[in-house]
Amino acid sequence: QSFQEALAIYPPCGRRKIILSNEGKMYGRNELIARYIKLRTGKTRTRKQVSSHIQVLARRTSRDVHSKFKTREFFQFWPGAVASEDASSCPDMKPFIQQSFTLHHTPISGYQEASLGHSHPPWQGRCIGTPKIRLVEFSAFAEHQRDPATYTKHLFVHIGQSAPSYGETLLESVDIRQIYDKFPEKKGGLKELFQKGTPNTFFLVKFWADLSLDIRDGAGMFYGVTSQYEGIENMTITCSSKVCSFGKQVVEKVETEYARFEDGRFAYRIQSSPMCEYLVNFIHKLKQLPEKYMMNSVLENFTILQVVTNRDTQELLLCVAYVFEVSTSQHGAQHHIYRLVKD
């Protein structure tokens, strides 16, 4: 109990030290927690013991939250959603250690020539896109209108891709094998898709999500997802979004969108699609966690795989893997885009 009280009294402060006015000494957070436990219980705990216990608590919290989402009572699917067979049978697993991705700054073969010879559109290799189609916008949001004069919209994550020029830097690349375990391995999983698809259609987005929204007065709140694409061909596209926990698919949403010819290209807009109850509940559970490192511990095991295909030919047009952390920026949601390759 004293440990829990100390966590609430002393929030995370990074590498900063805190000076106690009555003592004039500088303490780190773990030292303050150890000091509090000593004063309350008489028991001595070292700074390292406190740090270890915090990590154990974070892992336990992550398992508890994810185990709740594995039960089918949370799977309130929206139209078109498909439940995974793995959703209820997925074993409880310890969260894996967050790994840093290995980046390769050398351009992929063929992309450097494209920037010189202009044999490909300028967005190829510089944003999420291929010669046939590119992602223009992606956002997950909550909006609330209390009265006709009061409207608020909060962006949890957002990508807004303007048309790049040939002079812009090519995307960094990440070896796709580093993230195989974050996504399903069975039919339709990331590994199988990469083996069958064209390499330049695979991308990774690291989101730092903005969870600063106050959801206490959430009556009438609408949670939605918007995605927009554009391309040079008149197609009917199918967009599949798979939500994954511990590398297992728990829910999938499949949407179909028809092309609209605008300003010399074909546009595809999936506008304000309702977010499923699973994700809404997931956001609410995250918001209940007292500290961001606990949220990040949970998010280590939460991913989304988005696959765009030509409905008629089944050609894979785009595959985007999303991974998440909590944003600490005052500017809200942030993101970084990588190309997925296999070296």
Side-chain angles (χ1 to χ4, degrees):
Q1 183 180 350
S2 297
F3 178 75
Q4 295 289 348
E5 291 173 359
L7 286 178
I9 294 171
Y10 303 112
C13 57
R15 296 182 178 275
R16 290 177 297 170
K17 296 284 186 176
I18 297 174
I19 300 177
L20 296 184
S21 58
N22 60 334
E23 296 183 13
K25 294 181 180 179
M26 297 181 67
Y27 292 90
R29 185 198 186 206
N30 292 347
E31 293 170 319
L32 285 170
I33 293 173
R35 176 181 175 277
Y36 184 88
I37 294 173
K38 177 69 174 179
L39 292 174
R40 287 296 300 269
T41 68
K43 297 180 181 179
T44 301
R45 295 291 184 268
T46 66
R47 173 173 52 84
K48 289 186 177 181
Q49 285 175 319
V50 170
S51 175
S52 177
H53 195 60
I54 289 175
Q55 294 302 316
V56 170
L57 180 62
R59 294 189 182 96
R60 184 185 304 159
T61 303
S62 175
R63 288 198 299 269
D64 290 345
V65 172
H66 278 277
S67 65
K68 291 177 182 178
F69 286 118
K70 289 170 191 172
T71 60
R72 289 193 177 271
E73 63 193 50
F74 277 97
F75 300 156
Q76 307 295 327
F77 304 125
W78 65 106
V82 181
S84 167
E85 294 179 356
D86 298 319
S88 61
S89 60
C90 176
D92 198 8
M93 300 167 61
K94 294 182 179 179
F96 48 78
I97 298 175
Q98 181 74 18
Q99 59 183 4
S100 58
F101 301 124
T102 304
L103 304 180
H104 306 274
H105 295 274
T106 54
I108 309 302
S109 177
Y111 280 74
Q112 191 171 26
E113 289 80 4
S115 64
L116 298 175
H118 297 186
S119 58
H120 297 294
W123 65 73
Q124 187 166 346
R126 295 175 176 83
C127 67
I128 299 174
T130 67
K132 290 188 176 181
I133 195 171
R134 77 180 185 97
L135 176 69
V136 178
E137 180 188 1
F138 176 82
S139 63
F141 59 89
E143 57 186 11
H144 193 200
Q145 188 162 3
R146 292 184 175 87
D147 54 68
T150 307
Y151 169 81
T152 58
K153 183 174 183 177
H154 176 87
L155 293 174
F156 296 112
V157 296
H158 179 252
I159 299 174
Q161 295 194 130
S162 58
S165 66
Y166 285 107
E168 293 186 24
T169 307
L170 295 172
L171 295 176
E172 297 167 322
S173 61
V174 168
D175 193 316
I176 195 170
R177 289 171 292 188
Q178 295 186 60
I179 62 170
Y180 274 162
D181 60 346
K182 291 177 175 283
F183 297 92
E185 296 182 359
K186 295 182 179 180
K187 185 176 181 181
L190 182 60
K191 184 175 182 179
E192 182 187 77
L193 289 170
F194 191 81
Q195 291 172 343
K196 294 182 177 180
T198 306
N200 65 2
T201 60
F202 292 84
F203 300 87
L204 169 69
V205 177
K206 174 65 176 290
F207 273 129
W208 286 267
D210 183 358
L211 296 180
S212 61
L213 175 68
D214 186 357
I215 59 176
R216 288 174 295 181
D217 183 19
M221 189 86 72
F222 173 78
Y223 294 81
V225 179
T226 287
S227 53
Q228 180 179 340
Y229 306 87
E230 66 178 26
I232 59 174
E233 294 186 14
N234 184 2
M235 303 177 287
T236 300
I237 66 170
T238 299
C239 182
S240 162
S241 301
K242 298 179 180 179
V243 178
C244 306
S245 175
F246 289 92
K248 304 291 185 180
Q249 177 185 320
V250 291
V251 65
E252 178 184 15
K253 182 175 186 178
V254 180
E255 298 174 288
T256 300
E257 186 63 24
Y258 300 92
R260 300 175 185 175
F261 190 72
E262 300 175 359
D263 300 326
R265 83 278 193 269
F266 293 95
Y268 308 85
R269 293 187 180 91
I270 303 175
Q271 198 79 22
S272 297
S273 177
M275 190 182 296
C276 70
E277 285 296 318
Y278 177 87
L279 286 180
V280 175
N281 283 327
F282 187 84
I283 292 170
H284 286 196
K285 291 293 183 182
L286 277 180
K287 291 284 292 179
Q288 292 175 14
L289 297 176
E291 305 201 38
K292 286 186 177 179
Y293 78 86
M294 295 181 179
M295 298 181 188
N296 286 332
S297 181
V298 173
L299 288 173
E300 284 178 5
N301 305 290
F302 173 83
T303 57
I304 294 177
L305 185 65
Q306 194 169 58
V307 180
V308 180
T309 57
N310 183 319
R311 186 196 64 177
D312 300 319
T313 66
Q314 296 301 304
E315 177 188 4
L316 177 62
L317 301 172
L318 281 178
C319 181
V320 187
Y322 297 101
V323 296
F324 301 85
E325 279 190 25
V326 179
S327 174
T328 57
S329 171
Q330 295 180 349
H331 303 292
Q334 308 288 320
H335 72 276
H336 196 87
I337 303 171
Y338 306 90
R339 280 185 38 77
L340 286 172
V341 299
K342 190 172 182 181
D343 294 337

